[in-house]
Amino acid sequence: MLKDKVALITGAGRGIGYSIAEKFAKEGCHVVICDISEESSVQAAQSLTEKYKVRALGVKTDVSNFEETQKLAARVIAEFGKIDILVNNAGITKDNLLLRMTPEEWQKVIEINLNSVFNCSKAVLRPMLKNKGGRIINIASVVGVMGNAGQSNYAASKAGIIGFTKSIAKEYGSKGILCNAIAPGFINTKMIETLPKEYIDNLLNLVPLKKLGEPEDVANIALFLAADLSAYVTGQVIKVDGGMVM
Ligand code: NAP
């Protein structure tokens, strides 16, 4: 479905990002795995090259750093010639009630979750315009739609991503660049590992499908948004949450 396309996926050393990279590689897509961890980005790229015989490159990049992201995009263009798909996936949580939240906890989450989306989208924009099209897929969260106590920083970053997605869809639709967001519910990755069992049990009461999502559930929608199947879809926020938010 993505044969000989080139995709840049952020935060893809593990979790949802890795699952998206694997799903794309399986479809013949060359993948650039960017992660803050050198070890996991390089290892992930090696394992995808071996398994799927595509070109995969692992590059340590801090997506909250503007210069690093511009260098990353330039390297991808130098080595692969184009960027067809960008998946802005890297994200973190630093949960706290507003009463206790420090400016550092606020800023770090905004920098990594939201500024990164500006940085990376800006870095791929000219190459995509030159290529007469592209796909930008932003990983938001249902928390950006519904809010969540203890996550005002995270919810603000994800709501910001949704506004950004719709604006970019409007700015560049006529140039063939489609921009959509995915809003996952609670997905079984390291990010939610620290949540107490009681919290998860209560949460599952709100999920009609009565289970957590798997990274592959999100990757399947990312594949749809990256492929020709979604040629008339832009500016949308697709929830992957077992029906939690309707
Ligand atoms: P994860 O397992 O923690 O993976 C996040 C990845 O991003 C990690 O590999 C992490 O590297 C990397 N990363 C962190 N900061 C970075 C930076 N500055 N530059 C580059 N890479 C960085 O989390 P996940 O669950 O797969 O989450 C992926 C995305 O889905 C996030 O945007 C998250 O907000 C969103 N999401 C997740 C859920 C969920 O329930 N899991 C729900 C809704 C939305 P390290 O190895 O150094 O940490």
Side-chain angles (χ1 to χ4, degrees):
M1 226 180 266
L2 299 178
K3 194 157 169 32
D4 292 330
K5 300 275 187 197
V6 177
L8 168 55
I9 303 144
T10 72
R14 64 159 194 252
I16 292 171
Y18 180 77
S19 187
I20 293 172
E22 178 163 33
K23 182 73 54 181
F24 285 10
K26 215 171 172 177
E27 293 294 329
C29 188
H30 306 298
V31 287
V32 181
I33 311 269
C34 135
D35 203 279
I36 189 86
S37 152
E38 171 120 51
E39 197 188 350
S40 62
S41 56
V42 170
Q43 269 178 11
Q46 266 169 6
S47 110
L48 293 181
T49 311
E50 282 160 21
K51 258 171 121 174
Y52 301 107
K53 312 288 173 229
V54 292
R55 285 182 68 197
L57 173 71
V59 188
K60 176 188 186 303
T61 309
D62 176 357
V63 290
S64 67
N65 180 308
F66 183 77
E67 280 74 31
E68 282 191 36
T69 55
Q70 311 312 294
K71 276 189 198 150
L72 170 68
R75 181 166 170 198
V76 180
I77 294 299
E79 295 196 24
F80 292 80
K82 59 175 183 167
I83 302 173
D84 298 296
I85 304 153
L86 166 68
V87 184
N88 282 309
N89 165 79
I92 60 162
T93 53
K94 286 200 180 293
D95 298 351
N96 226 335
L97 296 173
L98 182 58
L99 209 53
R100 294 196 203 114
M101 189 176 287
T102 63
E104 291 72 27
E105 286 169 335
W106 170 267
Q107 273 152 18
K108 201 75 191 157
V109 168
I110 297 295
E111 279 168 13
I112 295 181
N113 295 9
L114 183 58
N115 292 2
S116 65
V117 175
F118 166 80
N119 294 343
C120 296
S121 303
K122 202 164 158 65
V124 303
L125 196 56
R126 282 185 200 283
M128 282 186 178
L129 288 169
K130 206 171 157 205
N131 214 13
K132 301 205 175 341
R135 302 287 171 97
I136 299 177
I137 301 165
N138 297 323
I139 308 300
S141 166
V142 289
V143 166
V145 178
M146 66 177 191
N148 201 17
Q151 288 198 307
S152 56
N153 50 359
Y154 184 77
S157 73
K158 296 301 187 180
I161 288 178
I162 291 172
F164 180 88
T165 300
K166 294 177 182 178
S167 304
I168 298 310
K170 288 186 176 179
E171 274 183 37
Y172 298 102
S174 65
K175 304 289 181 197
I177 298 173
L178 278 52
C179 184
N180 290 287
I182 301 176
F186 286 82
I187 309 294
N188 201 3
T189 69
K190 202 163 181 186
M191 184 171 268
I192 65 160
E193 246 175 23
T194 50
L195 295 176
K197 186 180 173 310
E198 201 180 52
Y199 182 89
I200 301 272
D201 289 345
N202 285 337
L203 194 92
L204 291 182
N205 283 331
L206 306 172
V207 177
L209 296 188
K210 299 293 169 211
K211 58 179 182 181
L212 293 174
E214 294 300 325
E216 193 178 7
D217 295 320
V218 181
N220 285 332
I221 302 303
L223 176 61
F224 166 71
L225 291 174
D228 287 343
L229 289 170
S230 60
Y232 200 53
V233 178
T234 196
Q236 301 306 305
V237 182
I238 302 182
K239 296 189 199 86
V240 181
D241 66 349
M244 186 170 68
V245 180
M246 295 186 193

